[in-house]
Amino acid sequence: MKNYAIRRILQLIPVLFGISVLIFAVMKMIPGDVISGILGIEATPELRAQLAAKYGLDRPYVIQYLDWIGGVLHGDFGESIRTSAPILPEILTRFKVTAELTILAAIISWCIAIPLGVLAAVKRNTLVDRCVRVFALLGVSVPGFALSILLILVLSLVFNYFSPLGYVGLFEDPLRNLQIMILPASILGVSISGSVMRMTRSSVLEVLRQDFIKTVRAKGASERVAIFKHAFRNALIPIITLVGMQIGSLLGGAVIVEQIFSLPGLGQMTLTGINQRDYPVVQGCVLFIAFIYVLVNLITDLLYAYIDPRISYD
């Protein structure tokens, strides 16, 4: 497994390189520029030239990219054009908020989706199974931002409940932090639980049809043991694959939810950078999210061997 992990880490290098090129190219194609946003109506040619020279925006794109990626390789993501603050410390600070939101959403999703998915598989073609499939379909179909707005309206108008404003760190005030994070995390968790539920149901159903489950039952094992000890463990591989992909996508997909609930996370930082045409901020945020995404996928692949001993990386 050590050799496999090394090979996979080496394979990440060209992937991240391609992502960095794509990010840089897309940012240069966005209409408008940060200089016009900073200067406004005072954007005379002389002032524009001075700012462009100050931030290196007057150099060829290839040179700009090489300077940026060279700094990234040395742990320097550059400085914000708007605030002149270092980008990497700000990314790490805001990543704590996004990571907490992602972990809470993932836990909520698993607690909903996996038990219901197993139950639907066991109660196949019954009323319970149909209700679970309808719920899963709604979870897949309704976007997270629409669910956020709908839930805010229902809670505020019907129950007179408003989500607390501001953000408090987990270690500063855990109870206050949970009050702030539980609603957005629940929305994200419910929005991704549908696909996990469907995958769990289909995967457990496939395993339950196999001969070794019939053998386990024939030996006198209880239905609980047959399902949870034998069937569920063998059904985990596709579920873990989907869960790993969702954790990575949640890091980037929490942008709208963070904006709606005013959470100072990485998504809000990225969206603000896009609106302000702050190229280094957006490039740094997207590249960091991409790195975490591929790292989560690597960890997911390495988990396969621990779950299923039949899998070998030799």
Side-chain angles (χ1 to χ4, degrees):
M1 183 178 291
K2 181 180 178 180
N3 294 332
Y4 174 79
I6 293 173
R7 290 198 307 269
R8 283 296 307 273
I9 292 172
L10 292 176
Q11 291 172 3
L12 298 183
I13 296 175
V15 173
L16 292 174
F17 171 73
I19 292 172
S20 69
V21 173
L22 184 62
I23 296 167
F24 186 84
V26 169
M27 288 306 301
K28 295 305 178 184
M29 290 188 291
I30 293 178
D33 63 277
V34 67
I35 295 178
S36 298
I38 294 174
L39 296 177
I41 60 175
E42 300 178 359
T44 62
E46 293 77 11
L47 288 176
R48 291 182 62 87
Q50 290 177 9
L51 278 181
K54 177 181 178 180
Y55 296 114
L57 301 176
D58 58 341
R59 292 176 293 177
Y61 288 160
V62 175
I63 302 301
Q64 292 183 43
Y65 171 78
L66 292 176
D67 287 344
W68 171 62
I69 201 65
V72 169
L73 293 175
H74 290 86
D76 180 13
F77 280 56
E79 296 180 351
S80 168
I81 296 177
R82 287 280 182 171
T83 64
S84 298
I87 294 172
L88 185 57
E90 183 71 11
I91 287 177
L92 296 177
T93 300
R94 289 177 176 260
F95 178 67
K96 296 176 184 178
V97 181
T98 302
E100 181 187 352
L101 179 62
T102 298
I103 292 171
L104 279 175
I107 292 173
I108 291 171
S109 171
W110 301 339
C111 291
I112 295 173
I114 293 179
L116 289 181
V118 174
L119 180 63
V122 174
K123 303 291 186 180
R124 182 189 178 193
N125 294 330
T126 64
L127 179 61
V128 172
D129 182 24
R130 294 188 182 94
C131 291
V132 170
R133 282 188 286 174
V134 170
F135 181 74
L137 185 60
L138 289 174
V140 173
S141 305
V142 180
F145 70 89
L147 189 60
S148 301
I149 297 172
L150 180 62
L151 191 57
I152 289 173
L153 287 174
V154 171
L155 291 176
S156 60
L157 297 177
V158 178
F159 299 100
N160 199 29
Y161 172 81
F162 297 89
S163 179
L165 297 176
Y167 175 77
V168 177
L170 177 62
F171 299 104
E172 297 176 18
D173 189 343
L175 183 59
R176 176 71 175 175
N177 175 270
L178 184 61
Q179 290 175 342
I180 295 169
M181 300 295 287
I182 191 64
L183 187 56
S186 299
I187 290 169
L188 280 177
V190 170
S191 66
I192 67 171
S193 63
S195 54
V196 179
M197 204 180 301
R198 290 160 65 95
M199 178 61 73
T200 302
R201 178 185 179 275
S202 61
S203 184
V204 172
L205 267 179
E206 182 180 352
V207 175
L208 287 175
R209 296 191 185 104
Q210 295 183 10
D211 292 337
F212 78 93
I213 296 296
K214 297 178 182 178
T215 303
V216 169
R217 288 168 171 163
K219 288 183 177 180
S222 65
E223 192 68 12
R224 183 185 298 272
V225 171
I227 292 171
F228 291 101
K229 184 177 180 180
H230 297 279
F232 181 65
R233 181 173 181 177
N234 285 275
L236 271 179
I237 296 298
I239 299 172
I240 287 179
T241 302
L242 179 61
V243 166
M245 293 176 62
Q246 285 188 332
I247 290 177
S249 62
L250 275 174
L251 294 172
V255 176
I256 305 300
V257 173
E258 287 181 0
Q259 192 72 15
I260 291 174
F261 290 93
S262 300
L263 296 176
L266 202 56
Q268 189 186 72
M269 181 180 177
T270 305
L271 191 59
T272 302
I274 293 173
N275 292 332
Q276 296 180 345
R277 304 296 189 270
D278 201 339
Y279 306 129
V281 169
V282 179
Q283 291 167 187
C285 290
V286 176
L287 187 62
F288 185 83
I289 292 173
F291 172 74
I292 298 298
Y293 186 90
V294 296
L295 185 62
V296 169
N297 281 319
L298 172 61
I299 295 173
T300 301
D301 289 345
L302 295 179
L303 284 174
Y304 292 161
Y306 291 102
I307 295 171
D308 191 343
R310 295 171 297 179
I311 296 177
S312 174
Y313 294 111
D314 296 332

